[in-house]
Coordinates of all heavy atoms in Angstrom, one line a residue:
M173 N 135.2 22.9 -129.1 CA 135.9 23.5 -127.9 C 135.5 22.7 -126.7 O 134.3 22.5 -126.4 CB 135.5 25.0 -127.8 CG 135.7 25.6 -126.5 SD 135.1 27.3 -126.4 CE 134.0 27.6 -127.7
K174 N 136.5 22.4 -125.9 CA 136.3 21.6 -124.6 C 136.1 22.6 -123.5 O 136.7 23.7 -123.4 CB 137.4 20.7 -124.3 CG 137.6 19.6 -125.3 CD 136.5 18.6 -125.3 CE 136.8 17.5 -126.3 NZ 135.7 16.6 -126.4
I175 N 135.1 22.3 -122.6 CA 134.9 23.1 -121.4 C 134.8 22.2 -120.1 O 134.6 21.0 -120.2 CB 133.7 24.0 -121.5 CG1 132.4 23.1 -121.6 CG2 133.8 25.0 -122.6 CD1 131.1 24.0 -121.5
S176 N 135.0 22.8 -119.0 CA 134.8 22.2 -117.7 C 133.8 23.1 -116.9 O 134.0 24.4 -116.9 CB 136.1 22.2 -116.9 OG 137.1 21.5 -117.6
V177 N 132.8 22.6 -116.3 CA 131.8 23.3 -115.7 C 131.6 22.8 -114.2 O 131.5 21.6 -114.0 CB 130.4 23.2 -116.4 CG1 129.3 24.0 -115.7 CG2 130.5 23.6 -117.9
E178 N 131.6 23.8 -113.3 CA 131.3 23.4 -111.9 C 129.9 23.9 -111.5 O 129.6 25.1 -111.8 CB 132.4 24.0 -111.0 CG 132.1 23.7 -109.5 CD 133.1 24.3 -108.6 OE1 133.2 25.6 -108.6 OE2 133.8 23.6 -107.9
L179 N 129.1 23.1 -111.0 CA 127.7 23.4 -110.6 C 127.4 23.2 -109.2 O 127.9 22.1 -108.6 CB 126.8 22.5 -111.5 CG 126.9 22.5 -113.0 CD1 126.3 21.3 -113.6 CD2 126.3 23.8 -113.5
T180 N 126.7 24.1 -108.6 CA 126.2 23.9 -107.2 C 124.7 24.3 -107.3 O 124.4 25.4 -107.5 CB 126.9 24.7 -106.2 OG1 128.3 24.4 -106.3 CG2 126.4 24.5 -104.8
L181 N 123.9 23.3 -107.1 CA 122.4 23.5 -107.1 C 122.0 23.6 -105.6 O 122.3 22.8 -104.8 CB 121.7 22.3 -107.7 CG 120.2 22.3 -107.7 CD1 119.6 23.5 -108.4 CD2 119.6 21.0 -108.2
T182 N 121.3 24.7 -105.3 CA 120.8 25.0 -104.0 C 119.3 25.2 -103.9 O 118.9 26.4 -104.1 CB 121.6 26.2 -103.4 OG1 123.0 26.0 -103.5 CG2 121.3 26.3 -101.9
P183 N 118.5 24.2 -103.8 CA 117.1 24.5 -103.6 C 116.8 25.2 -102.3 O 117.4 24.9 -101.2 CB 116.4 23.1 -103.5 CG 117.5 22.2 -104.2 CD 118.8 22.8 -103.8
L184 N 116.0 26.3 -102.3 CA 115.8 27.1 -101.1 C 114.4 26.6 -100.5 O 113.4 27.3 -100.5 CB 115.7 28.6 -101.5 CG 117.0 29.1 -102.1 CD1 116.8 30.5 -102.5 CD2 118.1 29.0 -101.1
Q185 N 114.5 25.4 -100.0 CA 113.3 24.8 -99.3 C 113.8 23.7 -98.4 O 114.9 23.3 -98.4 CB 112.3 24.2 -100.4 CG 113.0 23.2 -101.3 CD 112.2 22.8 -102.5 OE1 111.6 23.7 -103.1 NE2 112.2 21.5 -102.8
D186 N 112.9 23.3 -97.5 CA 113.3 22.3 -96.5 C 113.6 20.9 -97.1 O 114.6 20.3 -96.6 CB 112.1 22.1 -95.5 CG 112.0 23.3 -94.6 OD1 112.9 24.1 -94.4 OD2 110.8 23.5 -94.1
T187 N 112.9 20.5 -98.1 CA 113.2 19.2 -98.7 C 114.0 19.4 -100.0 O 113.5 19.5 -101.1 CB 111.9 18.5 -99.1 OG1 111.1 19.3 -99.9 CG2 111.1 18.1 -97.8
Y188 N 115.3 19.5 -99.8 CA 116.2 19.9 -100.9 C 116.9 18.7 -101.5 O 117.3 18.7 -102.7 CB 117.2 20.9 -100.4 CG 118.1 20.5 -99.3 CD1 119.3 19.8 -99.5 CD2 117.7 20.7 -98.0 CE1 120.0 19.3 -98.4 CE2 118.5 20.3 -96.9 CZ 119.6 19.6 -97.1 OH 120.4 19.2 -96.1
E189 N 117.1 17.6 -100.7 CA 117.9 16.5 -101.2 C 117.4 15.8 -102.4 O 118.1 15.5 -103.4 CB 118.2 15.5 -100.1 CG 119.2 16.0 -99.1 CD 119.5 14.9 -98.0 OE1 118.8 13.9 -97.9 OE2 120.5 15.1 -97.3
P190 N 116.1 15.5 -102.5 CA 115.5 14.8 -103.7 C 115.8 15.6 -105.0 O 116.2 15.0 -106.0 CB 114.0 14.7 -103.4 CG 113.9 14.8 -102.0 CD 115.0 15.7 -101.5
A191 N 115.7 16.9 -105.0 CA 116.0 17.7 -106.2 C 117.5 17.6 -106.6 O 117.8 17.5 -107.8 CB 115.6 19.1 -106.0
I192 N 118.4 17.7 -105.7 CA 119.8 17.6 -105.9 C 120.1 16.2 -106.5 O 120.9 16.1 -107.5 CB 120.6 17.9 -104.7 CG1 120.4 19.4 -104.3 CG2 122.1 17.6 -104.9 CD1 121.0 19.8 -103.0
I193 N 119.6 15.2 -105.8 CA 119.9 13.8 -106.3 C 119.4 13.6 -107.7 O 120.1 13.0 -108.5 CB 119.3 12.8 -105.3 CG1 120.1 12.9 -103.9 CG2 119.3 11.4 -105.8 CD1 119.4 12.1 -102.8
H194 N 118.2 14.0 -108.0 CA 117.6 13.9 -109.3 C 118.5 14.6 -110.4 O 118.8 14.0 -111.4 CB 116.2 14.4 -109.3 CG 115.5 14.4 -110.6 ND1 115.0 13.2 -111.1 CD2 115.3 15.3 -111.6 CE1 114.5 13.4 -112.3 NE2 114.7 14.7 -112.7
F195 N 118.9 15.8 -110.1 CA 119.8 16.6 -111.0 C 121.1 15.8 -111.3 O 121.5 15.7 -112.4 CB 120.1 18.0 -110.3 CG 120.9 18.9 -111.2 CD1 120.4 19.3 -112.4 CD2 122.1 19.4 -110.7 CE1 121.1 20.2 -113.2 CE2 122.8 20.2 -111.5 CZ 122.4 20.6 -112.7
I196 N 121.7 15.3 -110.2 CA 123.0 14.6 -110.4 C 122.8 13.3 -111.2 O 123.6 13.0 -112.1 CB 123.7 14.4 -109.1 CG1 124.1 15.7 -108.4 CG2 124.9 13.4 -109.2 CD1 124.6 15.5 -107.0
K197 N 121.7 12.6 -110.9 CA 121.5 11.4 -111.6 C 121.2 11.6 -113.1 O 121.7 10.9 -114.0 CB 120.3 10.6 -111.0 CG 120.7 9.9 -109.7 CD 119.5 9.1 -109.2 CE 119.9 8.3 -108.0 NZ 118.8 7.5 -107.5
K198 N 120.5 12.7 -113.4 CA 120.3 13.1 -114.8 C 121.6 13.4 -115.5 O 121.8 13.1 -116.7 CB 119.3 14.2 -114.9 CG 117.9 13.9 -114.5 CD 117.2 12.9 -115.4 CE 116.9 13.6 -116.7 NZ 115.6 13.6 -117.3
L199 N 122.5 14.1 -114.8 CA 123.8 14.5 -115.4 C 124.6 13.2 -115.6 O 125.3 13.0 -116.7 CB 124.6 15.5 -114.5 CG 124.0 16.9 -114.4 CD1 124.8 17.7 -113.4 CD2 123.9 17.5 -115.8
R200 N 124.6 12.3 -114.7 CA 125.3 11.0 -114.8 C 124.8 10.2 -116.1 O 125.6 9.6 -116.8 CB 125.1 10.1 -113.6 CG 125.9 10.5 -112.4 CD 125.5 9.6 -111.3 NE 126.1 10.0 -110.0 CZ 125.7 9.4 -108.9 NH1 124.8 8.5 -108.8 NH2 126.3 9.7 -107.7
A201 N 123.6 10.3 -116.4 CA 123.0 9.5 -117.5 C 123.2 10.2 -118.8 O 122.9 9.6 -119.8 CB 121.5 9.4 -117.2
S202 N 123.9 11.3 -118.8 CA 124.0 12.1 -120.1 C 125.2 11.7 -121.0 O 125.4 12.2 -122.0 CB 124.2 13.6 -119.7 OG 125.5 13.8 -119.1
N203 N 126.0 10.8 -120.5 CA 127.2 10.3 -121.3 C 128.3 11.4 -121.3 O 129.3 11.2 -121.9 CB 126.9 9.9 -122.7 CG 126.1 8.7 -122.8 OD1 126.3 7.8 -121.9 ND2 125.2 8.7 -123.7
L204 N 128.2 12.5 -120.5 CA 129.3 13.4 -120.3 C 130.1 12.9 -119.1 O 129.7 12.1 -118.3 CB 128.7 14.8 -119.9 CG 127.9 15.5 -120.9 CD1 127.3 16.7 -120.3 CD2 128.7 15.8 -122.2
K205 N 131.4 13.4 -119.0 CA 132.2 13.1 -117.8 C 131.7 13.9 -116.7 O 131.6 15.1 -116.8 CB 133.7 13.4 -118.1 CG 134.3 12.5 -119.2 CD 135.8 12.8 -119.3 CE 136.0 13.9 -120.3 NZ 137.5 14.1 -120.6
V206 N 131.3 13.2 -115.6 CA 130.8 13.9 -114.4 C 131.5 13.5 -113.2 O 131.7 12.2 -113.0 CB 129.3 13.6 -114.3 CG1 128.7 14.2 -113.0 CG2 128.5 14.0 -115.5
L207 N 132.0 14.4 -112.4 CA 132.6 14.1 -111.1 C 131.8 14.9 -110.0 O 131.3 16.0 -110.2 CB 134.0 14.6 -111.0 CG 135.0 13.9 -112.0 CD1 136.4 14.5 -111.9 CD2 135.1 12.4 -111.6
E208 N 131.7 14.3 -108.8 CA 131.0 14.9 -107.7 C 131.8 15.0 -106.5 O 132.7 14.2 -106.3 CB 129.7 14.1 -107.4 CG 128.8 13.9 -108.6 CD 128.2 12.5 -108.6 OE1 128.2 11.8 -107.6 OE2 128.0 12.1 -109.8
N209 N 131.6 16.0 -105.7 CA 132.2 16.1 -104.4 C 131.1 16.6 -103.5 O 130.0 17.0 -103.9 CB 133.4 16.9 -104.4 CG 133.2 18.3 -104.7 OD1 132.4 19.0 -104.1 ND2 134.0 18.8 -105.7
P210 N 131.3 16.7 -102.2 CA 130.2 17.2 -101.3 C 129.7 18.6 -101.6 O 128.5 18.9 -101.1 CB 130.8 17.1 -99.9 CG 131.9 16.1 -100.0 CD 132.5 16.3 -101.4
L211 N 130.4 19.5 -102.3 CA 130.0 20.8 -102.5 C 129.6 21.2 -103.9 O 128.9 22.2 -104.1 CB 131.1 21.8 -102.0 CG 131.5 21.7 -100.5 CD1 132.7 22.6 -100.3 CD2 130.3 22.0 -99.7
S212 N 130.0 20.3 -104.8 CA 129.6 20.7 -106.2 C 129.7 19.4 -107.1 O 130.2 18.4 -106.7 CB 130.5 21.8 -106.8 OG 131.9 21.3 -106.8
T213 N 129.3 19.7 -108.3 CA 129.4 18.6 -109.4 C 130.1 19.3 -110.6 O 129.8 20.4 -110.9 CB 128.0 18.2 -109.8 OG1 127.3 17.7 -108.7 CG2 128.0 17.1 -110.9
Q214 N 131.0 18.5 -111.2 CA 131.8 19.0 -112.3 C 131.4 18.2 -113.5 O 131.2 17.0 -113.4 CB 133.3 18.9 -112.1 CG 133.9 19.8 -111.0 CD 133.7 19.3 -109.7 OE1 133.9 18.1 -109.4 NE2 133.4 20.1 -108.7
V215 N 131.2 18.9 -114.6 CA 130.9 18.3 -115.9 C 131.9 18.7 -117.0 O 132.3 19.9 -117.0 CB 129.5 18.7 -116.4 CG1 129.1 18.1 -117.7 CG2 128.4 18.4 -115.3
Y216 N 132.3 17.8 -117.8 CA 133.4 18.0 -118.7 C 133.0 17.5 -120.1 O 132.4 16.5 -120.2 CB 134.7 17.3 -118.3 CG 135.1 17.6 -116.9 CD1 134.6 16.8 -115.8 CD2 136.0 18.6 -116.6 CE1 135.1 17.1 -114.6 CE2 136.4 18.9 -115.4 CZ 135.9 18.1 -114.3 OH 136.3 18.4 -113.0
G217 N 133.4 18.3 -121.2 CA 133.1 17.8 -122.5 C 133.1 18.9 -123.5 O 133.6 20.0 -123.3
D218 N 132.5 18.6 -124.7 CA 132.5 19.6 -125.8 C 131.4 20.7 -125.4 O 130.3 20.4 -124.9 CB 132.0 18.9 -127.1 CG 131.9 19.8 -128.2 OD1 133.0 20.3 -128.7 OD2 130.8 20.1 -128.6
Y219 N 131.7 21.9 -125.7 CA 130.9 23.0 -125.3 C 129.4 22.8 -125.7 O 128.5 23.0 -124.9 CB 131.4 24.3 -125.9 CG 130.6 25.5 -125.6 CD1 130.8 26.3 -124.5 CD2 129.5 25.9 -126.4 CE1 130.0 27.4 -124.1 CE2 128.7 27.0 -126.1 CZ 128.9 27.7 -125.0 OH 128.1 28.8 -124.6
D220 N 129.2 22.5 -127.0 CA 127.8 22.4 -127.5 C 127.1 21.3 -126.8 O 125.9 21.5 -126.4 CB 127.8 22.2 -129.0 CG 128.2 23.4 -129.8 OD1 128.0 24.6 -129.3 OD2 128.8 23.3 -130.8
E221 N 127.7 20.2 -126.6 CA 127.0 19.0 -125.9 C 126.8 19.3 -124.5 O 125.7 19.1 -124.0 CB 127.9 17.8 -126.1 CG 127.3 16.5 -125.5 CD 128.1 15.3 -125.7 OE1 129.2 15.4 -126.3 OE2 127.7 14.2 -125.2
V222 N 127.8 19.9 -123.8 CA 127.6 20.2 -122.3 C 126.5 21.2 -122.1 O 125.6 21.0 -121.3 CB 128.9 20.7 -121.7 CG1 128.7 21.3 -120.3 CG2 129.9 19.6 -121.7
M223 N 126.5 22.3 -122.9 CA 125.5 23.3 -122.8 C 124.1 22.8 -123.1 O 123.1 23.2 -122.5 CB 125.9 24.6 -123.6 CG 127.1 25.2 -123.1 SD 127.2 25.5 -121.3 CE 126.1 26.9 -121.2
Q224 N 124.0 21.9 -124.1 CA 122.7 21.4 -124.5 C 122.1 20.6 -123.3 O 120.9 20.7 -122.9 CB 122.8 20.5 -125.7 CG 121.5 19.9 -126.2 CD 121.6 19.0 -127.4 OE1 122.7 18.8 -127.9 NE2 120.5 18.6 -128.0
V225 N 122.9 19.7 -122.7 CA 122.5 18.9 -121.6 C 122.2 19.8 -120.4 O 121.1 19.7 -119.8 CB 123.6 17.9 -121.2 CG1 123.3 17.2 -119.8 CG2 123.7 16.8 -122.3
L226 N 123.0 20.8 -120.1 CA 122.8 21.6 -118.9 C 121.5 22.5 -119.1 O 120.8 22.7 -118.2 CB 124.0 22.6 -118.7 CG 125.3 21.9 -118.2 CD1 126.4 22.9 -117.9 CD2 125.0 21.1 -116.9
T227 N 121.3 23.0 -120.3 CA 120.1 23.8 -120.5 C 118.8 23.0 -120.2 O 117.9 23.4 -119.4 CB 120.0 24.2 -122.0 OG1 121.1 25.1 -122.3 CG2 118.7 25.0 -122.3
A228 N 118.8 21.7 -120.6 CA 117.6 20.9 -120.4 C 117.5 20.5 -118.9 O 116.4 20.5 -118.2 CB 117.7 19.6 -121.2
E229 N 118.6 20.1 -118.3 CA 118.6 19.6 -116.9 C 118.5 20.7 -115.9 O 117.8 20.5 -114.8 CB 119.9 18.8 -116.6 CG 120.0 17.5 -117.5 CD 118.7 16.7 -117.6 OE1 117.9 16.6 -116.6 OE2 118.5 16.0 -118.6
I230 N 119.0 21.9 -116.1 CA 118.8 23.0 -115.2 C 117.3 23.4 -115.3 O 116.7 23.6 -114.2 CB 119.7 24.2 -115.6 CG1 121.2 23.8 -115.2 CG2 119.3 25.4 -114.8 CD1 122.2 24.8 -115.8
K231 N 116.7 23.4 -116.4 CA 115.3 23.8 -116.5 C 114.4 22.8 -115.7 O 113.6 23.2 -114.9 CB 114.8 23.8 -118.0 CG 113.4 24.2 -118.1 CD 113.0 24.3 -119.6 CE 111.5 24.6 -119.7 NZ 111.1 24.8 -121.1
E232 N 114.7 21.5 -115.9 CA 114.0 20.5 -115.2 C 114.2 20.6 -113.7 O 113.2 20.5 -112.9 CB 114.4 19.1 -115.7 CG 113.6 18.0 -115.0 CD 113.9 16.6 -115.5 OE1 114.1 16.5 -116.7 OE2 113.8 15.6 -114.7
A233 N 115.4 20.8 -113.2 CA 115.7 21.0 -111.8 C 114.9 22.1 -111.2 O 114.4 22.0 -110.1 CB 117.2 21.2 -111.6
F234 N 114.9 23.3 -111.9 CA 114.2 24.4 -111.4 C 112.6 24.2 -111.4 O 111.9 24.7 -110.6 CB 114.5 25.7 -112.3 CG 115.8 26.3 -111.9 CD1 116.3 27.3 -112.8 CD2 116.4 26.1 -110.7 CE1 117.5 27.9 -112.5 CE2 117.6 26.7 -110.4 CZ 118.1 27.6 -111.3
E235 N 112.2 23.4 -112.3 CA 110.7 23.0 -112.3 C 110.3 22.1 -111.1 O 109.2 22.1 -110.7 CB 110.3 22.3 -113.6 CG 110.3 23.3 -114.8 CD 110.1 22.6 -116.2 OE1 110.3 21.4 -116.2 OE2 109.9 23.3 -117.1
L236 N 111.3 21.4 -110.6 CA 111.1 20.5 -109.4 C 111.2 21.2 -108.1 O 110.9 20.5 -107.1 CB 112.0 19.3 -109.5 CG 111.8 18.4 -110.7 CD1 112.9 17.3 -110.7 CD2 110.5 17.7 -110.7
V237 N 111.6 22.4 -108.0 CA 111.7 23.1 -106.7 C 110.9 24.4 -106.8 O 110.6 25.0 -107.8 CB 113.2 23.5 -106.4 CG1 114.0 22.2 -106.3 CG2 113.8 24.4 -107.4
E238 N 110.5 24.8 -105.6 CA 109.7 26.1 -105.5 C 110.6 27.3 -105.8 O 110.3 28.2 -106.5 CB 109.1 26.2 -104.1 CG 108.1 27.4 -104.0 CD 107.4 27.4 -102.7 OE1 107.2 26.3 -102.1 OE2 107.1 28.5 -102.2
R239 N 111.8 27.3 -105.1 CA 112.8 28.3 -105.3 C 114.2 27.7 -105.2 O 114.4 26.7 -104.5 CB 112.7 29.4 -104.2 CG 111.5 30.3 -104.3 CD 111.4 31.3 -103.1 NE 111.5 30.6 -101.8 CZ 110.4 30.1 -101.2 NH1 109.3 30.1 -101.8 NH2 110.5 29.6 -100.0
G240 N 115.1 28.2 -106.0 CA 116.4 27.7 -105.9 C 117.5 28.5 -106.6 O 117.2 29.4 -107.3
L241 N 118.7 28.2 -106.3 CA 119.9 28.9 -106.9 C 120.7 27.9 -107.6 O 120.8 26.7 -107.2 CB 120.7 29.5 -105.8 CG 120.1 30.6 -104.9 CD1 121.1 31.0 -103.8 CD2 119.8 31.8 -105.7
L242 N 121.4 28.3 -108.6 CA 122.4 27.4 -109.3 C 123.6 28.3 -109.6 O 123.5 29.3 -110.3 CB 121.9 26.9 -110.6 CG 122.9 25.9 -111.3 CD1 122.7 24.5 -110.8 CD2 122.8 26.1 -112.8
Y243 N 124.7 27.9 -109.0 CA 126.0 28.5 -109.2 C 126.7 27.7 -110.2 O 126.8 26.5 -110.2 CB 126.8 28.5 -107.9 CG 126.2 29.3 -106.8 CD1 125.4 28.7 -105.8 CD2 126.3 30.7 -106.7 CE1 124.9 29.4 -104.8 CE2 125.7 31.4 -105.7 CZ 125.0 30.7 -104.7 OH 124.4 31.4 -103.7
M244 N 127.2 28.4 -111.3 CA 127.9 27.8 -112.3 C 129.2 28.5 -112.7 O 129.2 29.7 -112.9 CB 127.0 27.7 -113.6 CG 127.6 27.0 -114.7 SD 126.4 26.5 -116.1 CE 125.7 28.1 -116.5
K245 N 130.3 27.7 -112.8 CA 131.5 28.3 -113.3 C 131.9 27.5 -114.5 O 131.8 26.3 -114.6 CB 132.7 28.1 -112.3 CG 132.4 28.8 -111.0 CD 133.6 28.5 -110.0 CE 133.3 29.0 -108.6 NZ 134.3 28.5 -107.7
I246 N 132.4 28.2 -115.6 CA 132.8 27.6 -116.8 C 134.2 27.9 -117.1 O 134.6 29.1 -117.1 CB 131.9 28.0 -118.0 CG1 130.4 27.7 -117.7 CG2 132.3 27.3 -119.3 CD1 129.4 28.3 -118.7
V247 N 135.0 26.9 -117.4 CA 136.4 27.1 -117.8 C 136.6 26.6 -119.2 O 136.1 25.5 -119.5 CB 137.4 26.3 -116.8 CG1 138.8 26.5 -117.3 CG2 137.2 26.8 -115.4
K248 N 137.2 27.4 -120.0 CA 137.5 27.0 -121.4 C 138.7 26.1 -121.5 O 139.8 26.5 -121.8 CB 137.7 28.2 -122.3 CG 137.8 27.8 -123.8 CD 138.1 29.0 -124.6 CE 138.6 28.5 -126.0 NZ 139.0 29.6 -126.8
S249 N 138.5 24.8 -121.1 CA 139.5 23.7 -121.2 C 139.0 22.5 -120.5 O 138.1 22.7 -119.6 CB 140.9 24.1 -120.6 OG 140.8 24.2 -119.2
D250 N 139.4 21.4 -120.8 CA 139.0 20.1 -120.2 C 139.9 19.9 -119.0 O 141.1 19.5 -119.2 CB 139.0 19.0 -121.2 CG 138.4 17.7 -120.6 OD1 138.4 17.6 -119.3 OD2 138.0 16.9 -121.3
R251 N 139.5 20.1 -117.8 CA 140.3 20.0 -116.6 C 140.0 18.7 -115.9 O 140.3 18.5 -114.7 CB 139.9 21.1 -115.6 CG 140.1 22.5 -116.2 CD 141.5 22.9 -116.6 NE 142.2 23.1 -115.4 CZ 143.5 23.1 -115.3 NH1 144.3 23.0 -116.4 NH2 144.2 23.3 -114.1
Y252 N 139.4 17.7 -116.6 CA 139.0 16.4 -116.0 C 140.2 15.7 -115.4 O 140.1 15.1 -114.3 CB 138.4 15.5 -117.1 CG 137.9 14.2 -116.6 CD1 136.7 14.1 -115.8 CD2 138.6 13.0 -116.8 CE1 136.3 12.9 -115.3 CE2 138.2 11.8 -116.3 CZ 137.0 11.7 -115.6 OH 136.6 10.5 -115.1
D253 N 141.3 15.7 -116.0 CA 142.5 15.0 -115.5 C 143.4 15.8 -114.6 O 144.5 15.4 -114.2 CB 143.3 14.5 -116.7 CG 142.6 13.4 -117.4 OD1 141.8 12.7 -116.8 OD2 142.7 13.4 -118.7
Y254 N 142.9 17.0 -114.2 CA 143.7 17.9 -113.3 C 144.1 17.2 -112.0 O 143.2 16.6 -111.3 CB 143.0 19.2 -113.0 CG 143.7 20.1 -112.0 CD1 144.8 20.8 -112.4 CD2 143.3 20.1 -110.7 CE1 145.5 21.6 -111.4 CE2 143.9 20.9 -109.8 CZ 145.1 21.6 -110.1 OH 145.7 22.4 -109.2
E255 N 145.4 17.3 -111.6 CA 145.8 16.9 -110.3 C 146.7 18.0 -109.8 O 147.7 18.4 -110.4 CB 146.6 15.6 -110.5 CG 145.7 14.4 -110.8 CD 146.5 13.1 -110.8 OE1 147.5 13.0 -110.0 OE2 146.2 12.2 -111.6
P256 N 146.5 18.4 -108.5 CA 147.3 19.4 -108.0 C 148.7 18.9 -107.7 O 148.9 17.7 -107.4 CB 146.6 19.8 -106.7 CG 145.8 18.6 -106.3 CD 145.4 18.0 -107.6
H257 N 149.7 19.7 -107.9 CA 151.1 19.3 -107.7 C 151.8 20.1 -106.6 O 152.8 20.7 -106.8 CB 151.9 19.4 -109.0 CG 151.4 18.6 -110.1 ND1 151.5 17.2 -110.2 CD2 150.6 18.9 -111.2 CE1 150.9 16.7 -111.2 NE2 150.4 17.8 -111.9
F258 N 151.2 20.1 -105.4 CA 151.7 20.8 -104.3 C 151.6 20.0 -103.0 O 150.9 19.0 -103.0 CB 151.1 22.2 -104.1 CG 149.7 22.2 -104.1 CD1 149.0 22.1 -102.9 CD2 148.9 22.4 -105.2 CE1 147.6 22.1 -102.8 CE2 147.5 22.5 -105.2 CZ 146.9 22.3 -104.0

């Protein structure tokens, strides 16, 4: 089953950029389809593979910050090629 996941990592500390950059670089290195924009990162692929990568990388991201939030939306379909038609 293919899924699309939107992630927003928000470390609740003054030095937040290194943790976000590290998280995104780890996702890029995962061989999943990854797109980024200023507000979130999208990951696309097979459910089992995406969730395995996310489980490991979210845990590591949380270990690197004192406090943080992670917002995650999951859609049951591969929306990688989505283009708005309006």
